[in-house]
Amino acid sequence: MAKDVAVIGVGQTSFVRGYEGSIRELAFEAFREATQDAGITQKDIAASIFCSAPEYDKQRSPAGVLAEYLGLIPQPTFYIETVCSSSSSGLKVAYSMIKAGLHDVVAVVGFQKMSEITSAESQERMGRGADIQWEAPFGTMMPAYYALYAQAYMAKNGLTHDDLRDVRIKSGTYGQTNERAVYRKGVKASDFDPSNPDARMAGAVAWPLRVGDACANADGASCVILANAEKAKAFSKKPVWVLGIGAASEAVNMAARPDFAKGLSVGYGAAAEAYKMAGITAKDVKVAEVHDCFTIAEIMAYEGLGFAPMGDGKQLIREKATYKEGRIPVNVDGGLLSKGHPIGATGGSQIRTIVLQLRDEAGPMQVPGSPEIGLVHNVGGVGLYGNVTIFGR
Amino acid sequence: MGFEKFGRKSFTAMTKVSKFVDLLEEGKVEGSVCKQCGAKYFPPRADCAACMSKDMDWFEMPKSGKLETFTTAYYAPFGFEKDCPYIMGVADLGGIKLFARLAGDIKPEDAKVGMDIMIRPLKYDDGQMSFEIAKA
């Protein structure tokens, strides 16, 4: 486990609906928190990387605009996009730059103001991250794609609607304790009961997925500051090291997907690469953030990451193994399902959670036992891109 | 030009495989096959990713297979709202797969993973051309 590149600062805005400011002000909030966390100023940062999904940005070429507002000129700045995993990809690029010796300290800023456009427009544009030539003409949208996986998975592996509901209940348990989450109410089984007139989550969206199976759009920004070993030791009392990075991609078209009942292939591919680089196995991971844009995605992630054998992810939620006190705590900050999913900011938010966990600074969300190794699993599109990053103290 | 006629509503006007739409009008659902290395593709491609050849031909897709997975959409993007609810799915035609809507006469409760299906071209009232997954 090489300790060459470390996270020395993390920041995140509250994830909200209808942020009352511009994207520059949004990004500034997360960046300011991360620099204060690292105890550095702009002059210590050699380069910056901005990450978002451009379909929501009215500003073109946002990296330069935001770098100026954050006081990061004249240092070089770059823009990275892999839809929902943009800021995890940004971290990989920052890591590479530092390892190559090009820059010693790099800030990765993820942002998305999804409320720049209406919720309906947002749904439509998110769908453009899928195949617009061969699939959008049928009337596809994101929930429908994940529902294709859910249907095949449930048919083969005995996963039930109650299991999916229980993933959302777990998310709600922790979402209540996360002051930065957009959805902070607890979730009850009756919220999914169609015979209950007040059920908020029971309505079908793309069957077998219901309202409660989906995360919410939100505005937000995140910031992760990385440094080489020398700078990390100089600046930080509690550096959190990047131990392993894995990434994979998959065919955009559903007609070219290998096996829907197996889940997203990028989850398996990215995890294998990250574990190999870190020199660890799934058993060594003590806390994880996984990409739960839909409840089914969390179950599939359990298996891709090796927390459960293939087809058996349901056991983890049935046995509460992924609760804070369980064998492998997952998404104990509420995950995307409770925090909301500001596309470009999401990966950075997941990384922040794991960094705080490894520093024993996660407050009410802290996993007991001072975890030493944590993992972030961040997927772009419907498994079009996959990123797995492993961190350690 | 020509590809704007594909699907319920097309988002792509120009592609080198727009002949796909003409073939649909002739009643054929075809994929592309590389003349150099024999790699088969659906959806069809103008270029072979296996051997980098641009020398492609058309081949008729198998007409029957099994439904690998599906979903019923109760909400739809702009321009598709009037169709709700509608079912979309992936058919496995014996090694090559195809994504499409399921025929309107299949009720959500009747669709099953693994059911026998057939593929057929479809012409909408407004002249748009597509193909669909029907009961075998």
Side-chain angles (χ1 to χ4, degrees):
Chain A
M1 280 190 262
K3 292 187 170 179
D4 300 327
V5 178
V7 177
I8 61 167
V10 288
Q12 185 202 312
T13 67
S14 289
F15 287 178
V16 297
R17 286 196 177 273
Y19 177 73
E20 292 181 349
S22 69
I23 56 169
R24 350 180 155 201
E25 292 148 0
L26 183 66
F28 187 88
E29 278 192 52
F31 176 68
R32 181 172 182 268
E33 186 174 89
T35 52
Q36 289 175 343
D37 183 45
I40 63 173
T41 66
Q42 289 96 329
K43 68 175 169 36
D44 300 311
I45 298 173
S48 58
I49 297 173
F50 290 85
C51 314
S52 75
E55 57 266 39
Y56 306 100
D57 296 333
K58 290 185 175 165
Q59 175 71 56
R60 305 273 34 98
S61 204
V65 176
L66 297 184
E68 185 235 326
Y69 193 79
L70 272 47
L72 286 167
I73 54 173
Q75 301 99 308
T77 186
F78 306 92
Y79 182 71
I80 296 289
E81 186 268 335
T82 54
V83 228
C84 320
S85 69
S86 293
S87 43
S88 286
S89 297
L91 180 126
K92 180 166 183 168
V93 173
Y95 178 94
S96 312
M97 287 173 166
I98 293 168
K99 277 284 279 187
L102 291 172
H103 305 292
D104 53 6
V105 180
V106 180
V108 180
V109 182
F111 71 95
Q112 208 81 65
K113 192 179 176 199
M114 299 181 76
S115 64
E116 296 265 279
I117 55 179
T118 66
S119 198
E121 278 180 308
S122 170
Q123 250 325 323
E124 169 122 342
R125 292 195 193 188
M126 206 180 298
R128 305 281 178 91
D131 187 341
I132 67 146
Q133 183 169 344
W134 293 105
E135 290 180 345
F138 293 105
T140 53
M141 55 180 186
M142 268 309 143
Y145 284 112
Y146 270 94
L148 292 174
Y149 276 92
Q151 188 88 57
Y153 186 99
M154 291 168 85
K156 183 173 178 191
N157 298 321
L159 184 81
T160 67
H161 271 109
D162 286 356
D163 295 323
L164 294 178
R165 175 202 68 197
D166 288 348
V167 170
R168 188 68 181 86
I169 289 174
K170 174 173 77 72
S171 166
T173 300
Y174 297 117
Q176 292 175 92
T177 66
N178 186 345
E179 61 182 19
R180 305 275 173 96
V182 71
Y183 194 89
R184 301 204 54 204
K185 293 179 199 155
V187 177
K188 305 182 296 296
S190 59
D191 293 329
F192 281 88
D193 180 358
S195 67
N196 169 15
D198 297 324
R200 297 167 289 153
M201 298 185 164
V205 175
W207 197 255
L209 299 180
R210 300 161 293 179
V211 173
D213 291 305
C215 70
N217 291 345
D219 299 342
S222 60
C223 180
V224 179
I225 300 174
L226 291 124
N228 65 17
E230 185 192 339
K231 292 282 186 181
K233 285 168 188 163
F235 287 132
S236 179
K237 288 192 184 74
K238 291 183 177 177
V240 169
W241 302 93
V242 180
L243 304 181
I245 302 183
S249 63
E250 173 59 287
V252 66
N253 201 289
M254 295 298 121
R257 297 295 176 100
D259 185 352
F260 290 87
K262 183 182 163 183
L264 302 176
S265 61
V266 294
Y268 286 86
E273 194 182 30
Y275 285 136
K276 187 178 175 194
M277 179 173 161
I280 66 163
T281 68
K283 287 190 175 64
D284 299 310
V285 178
K286 301 302 177 194
V287 57
E289 282 283 293
V290 310
H291 197 88
D292 60 332
C293 51
F294 295 92
T295 51
I296 181 66
E298 177 161 330
I299 298 286
M300 296 191 298
Y302 292 164
E303 298 171 19
L305 294 166
F307 298 159
M310 200 187 302
D312 220 15
K314 60 184 181 292
Q315 288 306 120
L316 296 190
I317 198 72
R318 288 177 187 176
E319 293 163 9
K320 296 200 167 188
T322 46
Y323 275 67
K324 211 165 69 179
E325 298 75 18
R327 175 165 65 77
I328 171 64
V330 173
N331 292 354
V332 294
D333 63 355
L336 280 57
L337 288 166
S338 291
K339 287 194 297 183
H341 184 17
I343 311 295
T346 293
S349 166
Q350 294 177 300
I351 294 164
R352 170 180 172 269
T353 290
I354 292 301
V355 166
L356 294 179
Q357 288 284 348
L358 298 182
R359 297 194 325 205
D360 268 332
E361 292 174 0
M365 296 173 280
Q366 182 65 46
V367 167
S370 297
E372 292 197 359
I373 292 181
L375 178 150
V376 171
H377 162 275
N378 189 194
V379 170
V382 192
L384 183 55
Y385 312 102
N387 284 281
V388 171
T389 316
I390 298 168
F391 299 90
R393 282 193 280 157
Chain B
M1 296 294 283
F3 204 72
E4 69 279 355
K5 281 190 74 180
F6 174 64
R8 198 72 180 92
K9 172 182 158 186
S10 178
F11 297 87
T12 310
M14 294 168 86
T15 168
K16 290 178 181 174
V17 292
S18 61
K19 189 186 171 187
F20 179 78
V21 179
D22 303 330
L23 291 165
L24 283 177
E25 301 221 41
E26 292 171 24
K28 297 179 204 163
V29 181
E30 302 211 355
S32 65
V33 55
C34 175
K35 286 184 187 174
Q36 299 299 321
C37 75
K40 287 184 171 180
Y41 297 99
F42 195 89
R45 301 169 49 115
D47 309 290
C48 179
C51 75
M52 306 293 277
S53 167
K54 291 160 67 85
D55 195 10
M56 307 291 282
D57 204 353
W58 294 90
F59 77 98
E60 196 153 359
M61 287 284 279
K63 287 193 172 56
S64 62
K66 290 191 182 298
L67 187 64
E68 181 168 347
T69 190
F70 66 97
T71 179
T72 308
Y74 289 92
Y75 290 91
F78 292 140
F80 298 90
E81 299 91 337
K82 286 180 185 163
D83 294 354
C84 273
Y86 53 92
I87 313 175
M88 297 174 284
V90 176
D92 188 340
L93 308 176
I96 193 156
K97 297 184 191 182
L98 167 151
F99 175 86
R101 276 203 203 174
L102 273 60
D105 63 351
I106 302 176
K107 294 182 186 131
E109 58 272 27
D110 293 338
K112 296 278 180 289
V113 168
M115 71 189 266
D116 292 322
I117 52 86
M118 55 175 279
I119 305 304
R120 65 186 183 202
L122 170 69
K123 187 170 194 170
Y124 285 104
D125 289 343
D126 60 3
Q128 288 293 106
M129 294 303 304
S130 191
F131 53 92
E132 63 181 1
I133 299 169
K135 279 184 203 164

